Amino acid sequence: MPKISTKGQHMPESPIRKLVPYSEIAKKKGHKVYHLNIGQPDIKTPEVALNAVKNSNITVLEYSHSAGFESYRNKLSQYYQTHGLPINTADIIITTGGSEALLFAMGSTMDQGDEIIIPEPFYANYNGFSTASGVTVVPVISTIDEGFALPPIAAFEKLITPKTKAILICNPGNPTGYLYSKEEILQLAEIVKKHDLFLIADEVYREFIYDGEEHFSIMNVPGLEENAIMIDSVSKRYSMCGARIGCIVSKNKEVMATAMKFAQARLSPPTLAQIASEAALDTPQSYFDDVITEYKDRRDTLIAGLQKIEGVKVATPKGAFYCIAKLPVKNADNFAQWLLESYDLNGETIMVAPAAGFYSTPNVGLDEVRIAYVLKKEDLIRSVEILEDALKKYNNK
């Protein structure tokens, strides 16, 4: 029998989606499952985006330019500049989601066996993208006790080798919700310039910032033009996860010319989704104001509830819509499966994402889960009640 590739064997399962078969079984039993495992917002997609597709008069669904519609890139550049980011049309290539943008970034800057340093816990698919690109992840651990703040720069320095090509961050962070300060970004900028590395920043949650804090982009750092690569997406900003439209942004002309070759190889990003994404840029500020108010309310509700459960530790996120919770269990994978397979509270249960999959260091985060507060407040309150009851029963079984 033909064998699959070693690369395929090493591709990690998604900690967010691998429990789906168990949730399907729970639903077939008639149980209601509260999905805290995945960052799929229940916020409505802006009507202006949906209407643009409904009202389009396309007669032939053609390829677009490999870099995406010029009209969209022009408008996106204006959007960034309005938000204080000095980004021009030539600095942008539209991609099929932020995922493809990350693959283009790695493919354009790294060779087989090269290394990328990432503070962990990190978005689980960074492991998958790195494996697909033949790149080795070198983790630097941030901790819940420190609120998942940036590890000391000395910790990064110790990990840099001749094979190191980049540092990758998510700001604000998935899965932690941590927002890097301007000072932390400037520290990272200094180290990548010192060692001639790329700084790749996944900034897809830029709008979701709380408590009066402000987001500071790597694109705002003077002198970092040749090192900075920004990843962005419409998925969360406009609650358009299914559109699969993102972009890679850099002022490094060699990086963008190389990324363009990858873009040409996959031909073009999806046409209808670009129409929706371009129209979404006309979404009024009131939409975001309402969304931020809603998410902050959800965050406060969830964190307050979790903090009341005996044995649970949680850091308060300053951005995005995730948090990492440390549970009084030895193995969160087993607990998460048990929640779906063997437990219910009056016909209801919850689905969480075991956090070990957000680390590349073995045996770290085994007692942690990621929780996405993308459900309405009443559902979050009920989910916390279920979690508290489940922990008691699980630890007494």
Side-chain angles (χ1 to χ4, degrees):
M1 177 179 172
K3 293 185 177 179
I4 63 167
S5 66
T6 301
K7 182 186 288 185
Q9 291 173 14
H10 289 160
M11 276 293 287
E13 281 187 301
S14 167
I16 306 163
R17 295 174 180 264
K18 70 179 182 179
L19 293 171
V20 167
Y22 298 102
S23 72
E24 290 170 344
I25 291 169
K27 289 173 186 176
K28 284 177 182 176
K29 291 179 185 176
H31 295 166
K32 179 174 182 177
V33 178
Y34 292 94
H35 284 272
L36 304 172
N37 62 303
I38 191 165
Q40 171 57 63
D42 64 353
I43 303 293
K44 287 186 177 180
T45 302
E47 284 189 22
V48 66
L50 298 176
N51 288 338
V53 175
K54 291 176 187 175
N55 299 331
S56 66
N57 57 2
I58 290 176
T59 55
V60 178
L61 201 56
E62 298 177 336
Y63 290 122
S64 76
H65 191 288
S66 292
F69 295 162
E70 185 176 9
S71 58
Y72 179 31
R73 287 180 285 126
N74 286 338
K75 202 168 173 182
L76 195 54
S77 168
Q78 293 167 13
Y79 163 83
Y80 286 133
Q81 290 179 22
T82 299
H83 287 75
L85 301 181
I87 294 170
N88 301 315
T89 302
D91 305 330
I92 303 168
I93 292 176
I94 306 303
T95 57
T96 309
S99 299
E100 187 176 69
L102 278 159
L103 286 167
F104 285 3
M106 289 185 179
S108 300
T109 61
M110 286 167 249
D111 292 313
Q112 187 85 20
D114 281 341
E115 297 173 350
I116 184 167
I117 299 174
I118 314 178
E120 62 177 357
F122 51 72
Y123 176 46
N125 283 334
Y126 294 165
N127 274 324
F129 300 145
S130 299
T131 300
S133 302
V135 173
T136 300
V137 171
V138 178
V140 54
I141 297 178
S142 62
T143 66
I144 194 167
D145 292 329
E146 297 293 326
F148 298 109
L150 186 75
I153 288 298
F156 286 86
E157 292 264 17
K158 289 177 183 176
L159 298 174
I160 294 173
T161 74
K163 290 187 176 182
T164 306
K165 287 293 181 72
I167 294 173
L168 168 61
I169 61 169
C170 185
N171 186 35
N174 175 7
T176 64
Y178 184 77
L179 176 68
Y180 290 105
S181 67
K182 178 179 180 179
E183 289 70 28
E184 288 173 321
I185 296 297
L186 292 177
Q187 286 178 342
L188 287 171
E190 201 59 41
I191 193 175
V192 297
K193 285 194 287 186
K194 176 182 175 182
H195 294 278
D196 206 21
L197 307 175
F198 291 101
L199 179 58
I200 305 172
D202 183 345
E203 298 187 359
V204 304
Y205 299 97
R206 183 189 304 106
E207 270 76 14
F208 305 104
I209 309 295
Y210 315 116
D211 306 329
E213 300 283 349
E214 291 186 3
H215 181 268
F216 185 74
S217 172
I218 63 167
M219 302 303 292
N220 284 127
V221 181
L224 199 64
E225 291 81 6
E226 298 303 309
N227 308 76
I229 301 173
M230 186 182 87
I231 308 299
D232 205 357
S233 167
V234 305
S235 292
K236 316 300 180 178
R237 180 173 302 128
Y238 303 110
S239 196
M240 288 171 57
C241 295
R244 308 312 307 134
I245 292 292
C247 62
I248 178 173
V249 178
S250 181
K251 290 191 169 294
N252 184 314
K253 289 181 168 49
E254 192 173 3
V255 166
M256 295 306 284
T258 306
M260 187 60 181
K261 290 188 281 186
F262 285 93
Q264 290 170 341
R266 64 82 166 101
L267 304 182
S268 68
T271 295
L272 287 175
Q274 286 185 85
I275 291 172
S277 300
E278 182 173 338
L281 289 168
D282 292 327
T283 303
Q285 183 58 40
S286 58
Y287 172 89
F288 296 107
D289 294 341
D290 291 344
V291 169
I292 297 303
T293 299
E294 177 65 23
Y295 276 131
K296 183 182 182 302
D297 199 21
R298 293 178 181 189
R299 180 203 66 171
D300 293 345
T301 298
L302 174 67
I303 298 301
L306 291 174
Q307 288 175 338
K308 291 176 184 176
I309 301 177
E310 186 178 352
V312 172
K313 179 185 287 188
V314 62
T316 301
K318 293 286 187 182
F321 38 67
Y322 308 99
C323 70
I324 291 283
K326 193 179 188 73
L327 304 181
V329 298
K330 287 184 178 179
N331 189 301
D333 262 286
N334 293 343
F335 176 63
Q337 184 174 329
W338 175 85
L339 282 168
L340 298 167
E341 209 174 23
S342 307
Y343 168 83
D344 72 278
L345 180 61
N346 299 323
E348 297 181 324
T349 190
I350 58 174
M351 188 174 180
V352 296
F358 296 91
Y359 293 84
S360 62
T361 303
N363 301 317
V364 176
L366 295 178
D367 58 353
E368 296 174 356
V369 295
R370 186 193 75 168
I371 296 175
Y373 45 95
V374 293
L375 305 180
K376 60 184 179 181
K377 198 161 89 167
E378 295 79 9
D379 289 348
L380 291 172
I381 291 170
R382 180 59 177 158
S383 297
V384 170
E385 291 172 352
I386 292 169
L387 176 61
E388 184 172 21
D389 179 78
L391 285 169
K392 288 175 183 174
K393 289 177 178 169
Y394 185 77
N395 288 323
N396 289 326
K397 67 183 175 70

